[in-house]
Amino acid sequence: MDFKKYVTDKLKELTGLDEQVISSSLETPPDEKMGDLAFPCFVLAKVMRKAPPIIASELAQKFENDEIIDKAQAAGGYLNFFFNRAKYASELISAINRAPEAWGKSDIGEGKTVLVEYSSPNIAKPFHIGHLFSTAVGNSLARIYKHLGYNVQSLNHLGDWGTQFGKLICAYKRWGDKEVIEKDPINELLKIYVKFHEEAADNPSLEDEAREYFKRLEDGDEETTSLWSYFREVSLKEFQRVYDMLGVKFDSYNGEAFYSDKMDEVVDILRKKGLLVESEGAQVVDLSDKNMPPCIILKSDGATIYATRDIAAALYRHRTYNFDKNIYVVGNPQALHFKQIFEVMRRADWEWSEGCTHVGFGLVKLPGKNMSTRHGDVVFLEDVLNESIEKTREIIEKNSPDMEDKDEKAKKIGIGAILYTFLKNSRDKDIIFSWDSMLDFEGESAPYCQYGYARGKSILRRAADIDYSDADMSKAVSDDEYTLIKQLNSFSSAVLDAADKNEPFYINRYVTGLTKAFNKFYNTCPIMKSDVDLETKKARLALVDAVCRVIKTALYLLGIETVESM
Ligand code: ARG
């Protein structure tokens, strides 16, 4: 049962106030000792022509002998409610353990489609730490929206088109060695790309050659197209390794190239709407009244660009998915770009474009020299992930040399630690990577939450022969137990907040708090000790079970895996 709803209904009956007014004024008291819910009586002072403290104490009397509310207490102008803990606990725990997958779920997304575009690395370029930030946030958002019943499509808008491919093809034709490239594709492609720029500084005709290659590529020439596909394929293979490590999946890899033949229509539409003006030979949409630089749609040489491809992509997505939301998880440096294209779409009278949202994020600072890379200056993401796994492996070796499946666990913990770090604070904040805090098993970290989960699971394993399905939860309502139980209940609001603000950190904060409360409970409430009576044991086991299930689901929504023992 919904305890808040119960209080709301009863207050409605007693005061005649509107349900909406009551439920929106009900608060959680700042201190648990003040009860579970508080109703500020100030709203009633005018209509009832009484002072709020008097109203509060009069209302309090009406809750005497209530089955659901143990106590209603006037405190100044507030009316504080204390729930019947046993009832609350048994309703909640049985609801979780009966249908654990459903906990925190909702149907608010039913019949609605959300597109989450994230990761979107560039072909033949390193998958860098910013792309990882996008991947962590995007993957988590996709899981959160799914949990809320939305139809979610995960999109990877690969950077696989543009004049740089003319340069790369030119470089490959001159210095490319397929055998060498095969061994370490992105790194080798990057090398010849860099070489192109060095050589072109002395020999500008290379630039003309590159332009010619890109033109051929645009015209669908067979040889250049097959080279381009080759670069794309080997790059994707490398990206895929990272996605597999992270457990990330996409429904579409339609990158910029996919939209290259869909831009004429956009240019046409914008022209017909009278939005295009000429500026230094280019066709642009003037946005000066919005204090933005013009959005360039066609360059002076007729070539199309990034923004145009993005506009074509949005139109395609609208037609293909008829989305309610189209979310772009891309770093803050591109905020202006998205503002510009959204404004252009608005001016094109595409009403659906209101569903487009840029979800930005801050910068990532790596711990400089401490980050080993096999590639010199460029920090390759795979190296960062591997380093985290190795460091975790060392910690395990040192602290628990007898642990089983060390490699498997080091992987889940090491990768979890990195994902957690990206989702720890609001997205806009810059992140400084620190191995010490990331892998601090006692601090706010993924290993801390994973350890809490593993601890719970180990208790449940030890109690394998106790059937606690009929536990009497009135045996587990001491303060520490009750605090933990209430935490379980706030999972759904954490999920809703996370979706509402496109901020996975609400769930991160939630699961960290839940684990903290669990540890406190673990330290104060013995479970398997011989002097604990069976009924108390059962109630505590049921609670541990529910906590484990919720930690697991919450971590899953962050993209983080759990391990059964640590
Ligand atoms: N490939 C781009 C980059 O690495 C990110 C693409 C962002 N998405 C978009 N629809 N423009 O910077």
Side-chain angles (χ1 to χ4, degrees), residues 117 120-122 131 157 159 256 306 310 328 330 334 337-338:
E117 185 215 287
S120 310
N122 302 318
H131 295 126
H157 189 79
E256 293 185 45
Y306 190 53
D310 253 330
Y328 298 85
V330 183
Q334 295 195 33
H337 162 75
F338 285 106

Side-chain angles (χ1 to χ4, degrees), residues 282-495:
Q283 295 290 314
V284 307
V285 178
D286 178 65
L287 302 173
S288 53
D289 60 332
K290 294 272 174 186
N291 281 324
M292 286 192 271
C295 184
I296 303 171
I297 300 296
L298 272 177
K299 281 192 198 158
S300 49
D301 58 4
T304 53
I305 49 166
Y306 190 53
T308 321
R309 285 192 281 278
D310 253 330
I311 297 171
L315 181 59
Y316 174 85
R317 289 176 190 177
H318 161 66
R319 287 173 179 163
T320 309
Y321 304 103
N322 192 20
F323 59 77
D324 293 274
K325 281 186 203 190
N326 175 25
I327 294 171
Y328 298 85
V329 187
V330 183
N332 284 334
Q334 295 195 33
L336 176 62
H337 162 75
F338 285 106
K339 263 184 147 162
Q340 288 177 302
I341 63 164
F342 294 166
E343 178 60 21
V344 170
M345 295 195 275
R346 198 186 62 78
R347 291 186 188 187
D349 297 321
W350 294 350
E351 273 152 41
W352 50 264
S353 71
E354 272 181 41
C356 295
T357 317
H358 171 223
V359 167
F361 52 81
L363 299 171
V364 188
K365 296 185 184 116
L366 295 163
K369 291 191 198 90
N370 302 332
M371 190 71 72
S372 68
T373 67
R374 77 192 149 99
H375 296 108
D377 290 343
V378 195
V379 174
F380 271 58
L381 186 79
E382 218 176 332
D383 297 343
V384 179
L385 295 176
N386 282 325
E387 187 164 357
S388 187
I389 296 170
E390 271 161 43
K391 285 191 185 295
T392 308
R393 186 75 165 75
E394 283 162 24
I395 296 174
I396 294 177
E397 206 57 68
K398 198 167 121 227
N399 298 343
S400 342
D402 304 327
M403 190 188 278
E404 284 169 20
D405 306 324
K406 285 184 211 158
D407 288 333
E408 188 58 32
K409 284 174 187 162
K411 218 168 133 187
K412 290 181 177 170
I413 298 167
I415 287 176
I418 289 190
L419 292 173
Y420 183 100
T421 306
F422 283 113
L423 307 174
K424 189 169 178 173
N425 294 305
S426 66
R427 298 178 265 107
D428 281 331
K429 285 220 175 108
D430 291 348
I431 292 179
I432 300 170
F433 259 46
S434 139
W435 291 121
D436 287 343
S437 56
M438 223 149 52
L439 295 174
D440 179 0
F441 282 50
E442 276 146 41
E444 293 180 352
S445 68
Y448 173 76
C449 300
Q450 288 165 318
Y451 184 57
Y453 173 83
R455 223 176 188 184
K457 288 304 256 192
S458 107
I459 302 170
L460 295 175
R461 274 192 302 275
R462 270 187 285 147
D465 51 356
I466 301 177
D467 175 11
Y468 50 82
S469 56
D470 62 343
D472 169 7
M473 291 313 296
S474 70
K475 302 283 181 200
V477 290
S478 68
D479 286 349
D480 286 337
E481 287 163 318
Y482 190 57
T483 303
L484 182 57
I485 290 168
K486 280 209 293 188
Q487 286 259 18
L488 291 172
N489 194 37
S490 23
F491 182 46
S492 56
S493 63
V495 181

